[in-house]
Amino acid sequence: MAMLLSELAQKELIQVEDGVRYGFLADTDLIFDGKTGNIIGFEIKKKLGRFSFKNRQDQSDEFIPWSEIVLIGEHRILFGKTHSMDGVDLDER
């Protein structure tokens, strides 16, 4: 079944184990291998509160590896665990 990227972007990200909602795929950054074009995963930017006084560098973003995607449904994308962006090889992007 073929799917447009715009259709995929409208799907909500939900972690299977805890049922935590992570927003919509459109709110993430797609990370792919520049050599092969394969999708590595999605970077989830942590939202800072309106009155947050924390330094942005103190917060690490989360990463959903493509291998953690369990199901892409009609309205939602279910995934396993998130990982820290610290473990992602940035040279592969």
Side-chain angles (χ1 to χ4, degrees), residues 11-87:
K11 297 185 185 297
E12 185 176 27
L13 292 165
I14 299 178
Q15 187 179 28
V16 175
E17 189 174 306
D18 300 328
V20 175
R21 294 177 170 192
Y22 279 78
F24 291 88
L25 191 67
D27 299 330
T28 67
D29 287 335
L30 172 68
I31 300 174
F32 65 96
D33 186 326
K35 295 177 185 172
T36 65
N38 292 334
I39 296 173
I40 296 171
F42 305 96
E43 181 180 9
I44 302 169
K45 300 283 188 186
K46 289 197 176 179
K47 296 179 182 176
L48 295 175
R50 192 169 164 189
F51 299 106
S52 177
F53 296 106
K54 287 190 170 189
N55 187 348
R56 177 72 171 119
Q57 294 175 343
D58 291 342
Q59 299 199 10
S60 62
D61 294 324
E62 293 180 86
F63 173 71
I64 301 172
W66 183 256
S67 61
E68 290 288 340
I69 302 295
V70 175
L71 176 72
I72 299 176
E74 187 175 344
H75 301 290
R76 291 170 187 82
I77 297 175
L78 304 179
F79 67 93
K81 298 178 183 177
T82 60
H83 299 268
S84 170
M85 277 301 294
D86 298 335

